[in-house]
């Protein structure tokens, strides 16, 4: 078992550090935010992630997991030093801001007094491994210090972070020193995942290419959704039908409000910037970003079409977090949608099962006038006297609401389902004026009672319908 330091105790650092401790290693997670570390020492987590709190507690009690703001404490005896700090969009046309990574590298150099492998988990532009090497080398203070840099991009998803960390689809390791990459591979051996061992630049690129591909899938199906809506097809069934093709797959094929969060938006931007800077014209990446931006705006045009005008209306917003099972508000569609409806003269009633504090903080940060926002304690409160309800985040809780009660509480029964959580025909029966994303308003008769139950359609039923369509 190894002694490990994780620098940056956010979503990736805290989850990675905790999982490494759970595997039997001794881990110190460090951060520059004193309050974050103080709270972690009291067992208060800075993020919501299912299962994480218990896992942190278990490993702290076992003496395998510690928190500190001190680099000298964190680095002492560490064989492996993970960098997991934030790399947000910088102020230059979408490029990644490397300030935090470089500062972490400088702090490593100042405190390192032995040989260690520095592993970069942050998502960083191609070539950053060399930058980290250079910064450390130029700032080393102790003559006994030595290091190798390995790129080990992270692929976990918020909301399923522990599962992803413990069962990764693959582990990517890139280094100009293959021996160092193999030592890191040993750290992960018990995870039984395939290893992809490459040079530094390739490993860094694998992360950007993967995120850009997933974002492309989302923008693709969102474009198809708009075509479906215009032509009277139902995108939910289109994706079910497409997804069964193993070459396509079901994942990331749900039409909706587009991608948000702390990764896809900034990573697609950063990749496009890198390609632009290299003298290329990354047309597809720019189209992916444009479609994603327009997707949120569709909500506003749907509301205007249905209500005539938003002036003096009350719009209910179900969900604030950028996706379910997280309280992360970074680049969440809810923020744009709330800003736009308020700017058109509406007030909003909002509810999110988890993103309460982070939701309020995000709206404040974006200078949204909270006088026009009422925070409710449940979805029924949001519906109360609302002129329209917009589903922004597909929390499970919203799938099992008493829709009759929701309908009866509203001033006007307009339901704009930004995540295609509900079935149009069912909402019709409750009396809602329902609009989904790419859903036929009056869906054509189908052999599938609903897209979700399509897997249960028997061969006989398919045969029957084929015969019927032939005759
Ligand atoms: N969040 C995700 O789902 C996810 C998934 C895969 C990869 N990533 C990548 O992982 C990296 C981290 O993302 P995150 O979401 O965990 O960020 P985060 O903002 O949640 O956490 C980063 C932490 O690093 C700390 N920090 C910054 N500079 C520091 C320094 N010099 N020394 C010590 N601590 C420092 C910050 O205070 C913060 O607590 C990013 O590059 C991101 O793109 C994120």
């Amino acid at each position: 078992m190894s002694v490990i330091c994780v620098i940056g105790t956010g979503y990736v650092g805290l989850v990675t550090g905790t999982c490494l401790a759970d595997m039997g290693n001794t881990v110190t997670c460090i951060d520059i935010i004193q309050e974050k570390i103080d709270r972690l020492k009291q067992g208060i987590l800075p993020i919501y992630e299912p299962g994480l709190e218990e896992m942190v507690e278990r490993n702290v009690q076992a003496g395998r997991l510690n928190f500190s703001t001190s680099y000298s404490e964190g680095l002492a005896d560490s064989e492996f030093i993970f960098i997991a700090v934030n790399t947000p969009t910088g102020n230059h046309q979408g490029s990644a801001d490397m300030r935090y990574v470089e500062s972490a590298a400088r702090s490593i150099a100042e405190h390192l007094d032995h040989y260690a492998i520095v592993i970069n988990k942050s998502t960083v532009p191609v070539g950053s491994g060399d930058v980290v090497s250079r910064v450390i080398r130029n700032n080393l203070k102790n003559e006994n210090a030595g290091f190798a840099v390995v790129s080990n991009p992270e692929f976990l998803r918020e909301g399923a972070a522990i599962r992803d960390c413990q069962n990764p689809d693959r582990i990517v390791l890139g280094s100009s020193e293959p021996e160092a990459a193999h030592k890191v591979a040993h750290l992960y051996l018990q995870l039984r995942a395939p290893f992809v061992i490459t040079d530094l630049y390739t490993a860094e690129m694998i992360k950007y290419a993967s995120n850009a591909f997933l974002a492309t899938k989302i923008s693709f199906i969102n474009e198809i959704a708009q075509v479906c809506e215009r032509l009277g097809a139902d995108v939910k069934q289109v994706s079910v039908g497409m997804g069964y093709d193993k070459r396509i797959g079901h994942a990331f094929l749900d039409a909706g409000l587009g991608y948000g969060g702390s990764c896809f938006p900034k990573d697609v931007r950063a990749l496009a910037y890198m390609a632009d800077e290299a003298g290329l014209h990354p047309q597809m990446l720019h189209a992916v970003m444009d479609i994603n931006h327009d997707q949120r705006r569709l909500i506003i045009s749907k509301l205007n079409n249905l209500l005539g005008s938003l002036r003096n209306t009350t719009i209910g917003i179900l969900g604030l977090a950028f996706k379910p099972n997280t309280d992360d508000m970074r680049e969440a569609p809810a923020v744009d949608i709330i800003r736009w409806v308020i700017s058109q003269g509406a007030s909003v009633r909002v509810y999110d099962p988890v993103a309460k504090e982070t939701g309020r903080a995000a709206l404040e940060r974006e200078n949204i006038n909270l006088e026009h926002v009422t925070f409710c304690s449940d979805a029924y409160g949001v519906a109360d006297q609302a002129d329209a309800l917009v589903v922004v985040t597909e929390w499970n809780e919203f799938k099992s609401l008493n829709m009759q009660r929701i309908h009866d509480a509203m001033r006007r029964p307009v339901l704009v389902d930004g995540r295609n959580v509900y079935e149009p025909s069912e909402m019709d029966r409750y009396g809602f004026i329902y609009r989904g994303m790419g859903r036929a308003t009056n869906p054509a008769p189908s052999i599938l009672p609903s897209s979700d139950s399509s897997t249960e359609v028997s061969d006989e039923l398919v045969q029957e319908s084929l015969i019927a369509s032939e005759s």
Side-chain angles (χ1 to χ4, degrees), residues 324 394-403 420-422 452:
E394 65 276 37
W395 285 96
N396 263 339
E397 175 178 325
F398 299 155
K399 296 176 186 164
S400 52
L401 291 173
N402 178 339
M403 294 310 284
N420 290 342
V421 167
Y422 306 111
D452 287 339

Side-chain angles (χ1 to χ4, degrees), residues 26-97:
T26 303
V27 181
T28 304
C29 289
I30 64 178
D31 206 283
I32 41 174
I33 301 177
Q34 183 74 50
E35 192 195 344
K36 196 179 250 193
I37 294 300
D38 289 345
R39 287 165 69 89
L40 274 162
K41 283 182 169 169
Q42 294 163 32
I44 305 167
L45 268 54
I47 53 168
Y48 171 78
E49 186 61 45
L52 186 60
E53 201 170 328
E54 304 83 74
M55 205 172 176
V56 167
E57 195 186 331
R58 185 168 71 239
N59 285 284
V60 168
Q61 273 175 10
R64 289 189 299 261
L65 183 60
N66 307 292
F67 302 102
S68 176
T69 49
S70 154
Y71 268 83
S72 50
E73 196 180 310
L75 260 51
D77 301 326
S78 282
E79 302 154 79
F80 299 98
I81 303 167
F82 283 85
I83 298 179
V85 300
N86 37 332
T87 49
T89 296
N91 53 13
H92 190 63
Q93 296 165 7
S95 63
D97 185 349

Side-chain angles (χ1 to χ4, degrees), residues 10-12 31 36 71 86-87 123 154 158 263 266 330:
Y11 281 87
V12 169
D31 206 283
K36 196 179 250 193
Y71 268 83
N86 37 332
T87 49
T123 304
E154 180 53 59
E158 289 176 20
C263 291
K266 81 170 172 67
R330 289 179 280 187

Side-chain angles (χ1 to χ4, degrees), residues 10-13 47 49 84-90 94 96-97 122-124 154-159 207-208 211 258-270 292 296 321-323 326-333 365:
Y11 281 87
V12 169
I47 53 168
E49 186 61 45
V85 300
N86 37 332
T87 49
T89 296
D97 185 349
S122 296
T123 304
V124 288
E154 180 53 59
F155 299 96
L156 64 75
R157 293 162 300 171
E158 289 176 20
K207 174 63 189 175
Y208 279 107
N211 273 4
Y259 57 80
S262 67
C263 291
F264 288 1
K266 81 170 172 67
D267 291 348
V268 180
R269 275 197 294 267
N292 198 59
R296 304 175 176 192
F322 88 92
K323 69 172 183 179
T326 180
D327 61 352
D328 198 339
M329 287 295 299
R330 289 179 280 187
E331 306 218 21
R365 221 172 19 250

